[in-house]
Amino acid sequence: MRKFPKTLPVSISLEHLPIKETDLKQICLGWEDLGFPFLRPAVVMDWKTETLPLGKARLDLNLILTLRFFQSFRFWILPKWYFQKTKKQLTEITWNHFFSKDRNLESNSFSRHWKQFWNTPLSLVWIHLGFTKLRMELDLEPNYFSNALPLSFDGEKKLYFRTGHLKTIHYRWTKKEFKAPYPKFAEVYIKTRDKHNDESLGRVFYRFLGYILENKFDEYLLPYWGFPSILPDSIRKMIPEEIWKISNSPSTNQWTETNLLGTELEFRTVYQVSTFSPNHPK
C-alpha cells in the first residue's frame, strides 16, 4: 500500500511591505502569541523580517501544513501544481490579513502625499527590450475610456506589448536596481481612436492599459515599486504566456524610458543607452 505524504512544508515571502521592519516585527510578535490563527491549519515553524530600501520590509514564513487524505492524494498525483496552489493561497491569506488592518490607517494626509511624491518612478531602464502585437477578443465596458474608443477588427481588439527585463527604477533621490535574473516586465497598450466632446473622432493611438509581470502571482509588488496602474484582472487572465517568449531579444542593449506619466505609446518613447546612437528611439 502506498504511503501518501501527511505534511507539506511551505515557505512564503511578502516583499516590499510598506512598513518599517521594527513595526513589522511587532505585528508578527502579536501574531506569534496567538499562533498565527489566520493560517490554520498550517503551523508557522519560523519567521523572520528584513529591511528593504525605501522604508519597506520583507517577511519570510516557514510553515508546515497537515494534509487530509484527499489533500495528500492530490499532492501525490500533482505535487508541483498542488504545492504552487497551496503556496499562493497561504501568501494571499497573509497578504490580505496584513492589509485588512493596515488599509484602515491610510488617509489623505500630507505625509502620505509627500511619501508618494518621492516614491513615484520617474524613469525605467530596460534590457532585452522587444514588442509584440496581438489581436484578442476583449469585453470592455462601453465607457472604459472617457475620451477614446477601442477599435475592433473582426470583433477583436489590437493589443501592443512592450516586453523586456526590468533593470533599474529611478525615483527622485533614489533608485532600485535589480540583479539577474531580472524580472520580466511589460507595458500593455490597446489601439484606440480619440473621441471628442462633440462625439467626433480623432487620431488613432495605442493607449496605455497597465503593467504586468511574467508571474501574475508577483504583481502585488508593482504598487510598492511605485506602479499603481496594474492591468485589470479581467484582461490579465486572457494574456497568453507566449508574449514572454516571442518578444525576447538576444540584445543586451539598455533602453531608458522617461515619460512614465504618458497615457499613450507615442509619448512613452524609449531611448537606447549607447555612446554610438544616443537617444535612438524605438
Side-chain angles (χ1 to χ4, degrees), residues 13-20 24 27-28 31 38 55-59 90-107 112 115 219-225 230:
S13 298
L14 299 183
E15 297 185 7
H16 292 265
L17 291 167
I19 188 173
K20 294 180 180 178
L24 179 59
I27 292 175
C28 291
W31 288 347
F38 54 90
K56 295 179 174 59
R58 168 179 173 144
L59 172 63
L90 292 172
T91 303
E92 288 180 346
I93 290 171
T94 308
W95 184 261
N96 292 334
H97 193 79
F98 179 85
F99 281 102
S100 64
K101 297 178 179 179
D102 190 63
R103 285 194 184 106
N104 296 331
L105 300 177
E106 292 186 354
S107 64
R112 181 186 171 196
K115 183 181 295 185
E219 288 174 2
Y220 71 89
L221 293 171
L222 289 173
Y224 303 105
W225 293 343
I230 304 176

Side-chain angles (χ1 to χ4, degrees), residues 30-77:
W31 288 347
E32 186 177 49
D33 290 341
L34 299 174
F36 290 86
F38 54 90
L39 289 172
R40 294 171 184 163
V43 177
V44 176
M45 306 301 293
D46 185 31
W47 61 269
K48 68 176 182 179
T49 60
E50 179 185 349
T51 299
L52 294 178
L54 303 177
K56 295 179 174 59
R58 168 179 173 144
L59 172 63
D60 295 319
L61 296 171
N62 294 322
L63 309 99
I64 293 291
L65 178 65
T66 300
L67 302 176
R68 301 188 185 94
F69 174 76
F70 286 107
Q71 292 174 323
S72 179
F73 179 73
R74 290 164 69 188
F75 177 58
W76 181 75
I77 295 294

Side-chain angles (χ1 to χ4, degrees), residues 262-279:
T263 59
E264 295 160 352
L265 178 65
E266 181 174 330
F267 303 107
R268 296 173 67 103
T269 311
V270 291
Y271 300 92
Q272 190 171 11
V273 181
S274 169
T275 56
F276 300 99
S277 55
N279 295 335

Side-chain angles (χ1 to χ4, degrees), residues 6-254:
K6 296 183 179 180
T7 60
L8 175 62
V10 182
S11 296
I12 63 176
S13 298
L14 299 183
E15 297 185 7
H16 292 265
L17 291 167
I19 188 173
K20 294 180 180 178
E21 184 189 10
T22 52
D23 296 334
L24 179 59
K25 280 184 177 179
Q26 290 301 315
I27 292 175
C28 291
L29 288 171
W31 288 347
E32 186 177 49
D33 290 341
L34 299 174
F36 290 86
F38 54 90
L39 289 172
R40 294 171 184 163
V43 177
V44 176
M45 306 301 293
D46 185 31
W47 61 269
K48 68 176 182 179
T49 60
E50 179 185 349
T51 299
L52 294 178
L54 303 177
K56 295 179 174 59
R58 168 179 173 144
L59 172 63
D60 295 319
L61 296 171
N62 294 322
L63 309 99
I64 293 291
L65 178 65
T66 300
L67 302 176
R68 301 188 185 94
F69 174 76
F70 286 107
Q71 292 174 323
S72 179
F73 179 73
R74 290 164 69 188
F75 177 58
W76 181 75
I77 295 294
L78 298 168
K80 185 175 181 180
W81 172 84
Y82 190 83
F83 176 82
Q84 292 297 335
K85 176 176 177 289
T86 302
K87 182 176 180 178
K88 178 179 179 180
Q89 288 176 341
L90 292 172
T91 303
E92 288 180 346
I93 290 171
T94 308
W95 184 261
N96 292 334
H97 193 79
F98 179 85
F99 281 102
S100 64
K101 297 178 179 179
D102 190 63
R103 285 194 184 106
N104 296 331
L105 300 177
E106 292 186 354
S107 64
N108 294 322
S109 64
F110 173 79
S111 61
R112 181 186 171 196
H113 288 292
W114 180 255
K115 183 181 295 185
Q116 184 179 7
F117 174 78
W118 292 110
N119 293 345
T120 298
L122 298 183
S123 65
L124 305 177
V125 176
W126 302 71
I127 56 176
H128 301 292
L129 182 62
F131 67 89
T132 306
K133 289 184 179 180
L134 292 179
R135 288 173 57 161
M136 298 174 56
E137 291 186 6
L138 290 179
D139 293 326
L140 298 176
E141 297 179 6
N143 298 321
Y144 193 88
F145 299 109
S146 60
N147 59 347
L149 180 68
L151 299 180
S152 293
F153 303 85
D154 297 328
E156 297 178 324
K157 307 292 192 302
K158 283 191 175 182
L159 296 183
Y160 179 104
F161 301 86
R162 178 183 284 161
T163 311
H165 290 80
L166 184 57
K167 185 175 186 294
T168 310
I169 306 172
H170 289 274
Y171 303 91
R172 296 187 186 275
W173 276 2
T174 59
K175 65 179 178 180
K176 177 173 179 55
E177 293 190 280
F178 297 92
K179 297 180 179 180
Y182 303 104
K184 289 185 180 179
F185 179 75
E187 298 170 343
V188 185
Y189 301 82
I190 187 170
K191 196 169 189 177
T192 65
R193 186 178 291 276
D194 278 356
K195 182 174 63 177
H196 302 147
N197 291 334
D198 61 0
E199 298 300 322
S200 63
L201 299 178
R203 295 179 59 190
V204 172
F205 290 95
Y206 274 100
R207 188 169 294 266
F208 179 66
L209 282 178
Y211 299 101
I212 59 175
L213 294 173
E214 181 184 28
N215 188 349
K216 182 180 182 299
F217 178 57
D218 293 333
E219 288 174 2
Y220 71 89
L221 293 171
L222 289 173
Y224 303 105
W225 293 343
F227 303 111
S229 300
I230 304 176
L231 190 69
D233 191 63
S234 59
I235 302 175
R236 177 65 175 88
K237 63 184 179 183
M238 302 177 66
I239 304 301
E241 293 296 322
E242 285 74 15
I243 68 163
W244 304 107
K245 299 176 183 177
I246 61 179
S247 60
N248 262 352
S249 167
S251 171
T252 57
N253 290 338
Q254 298 184 22

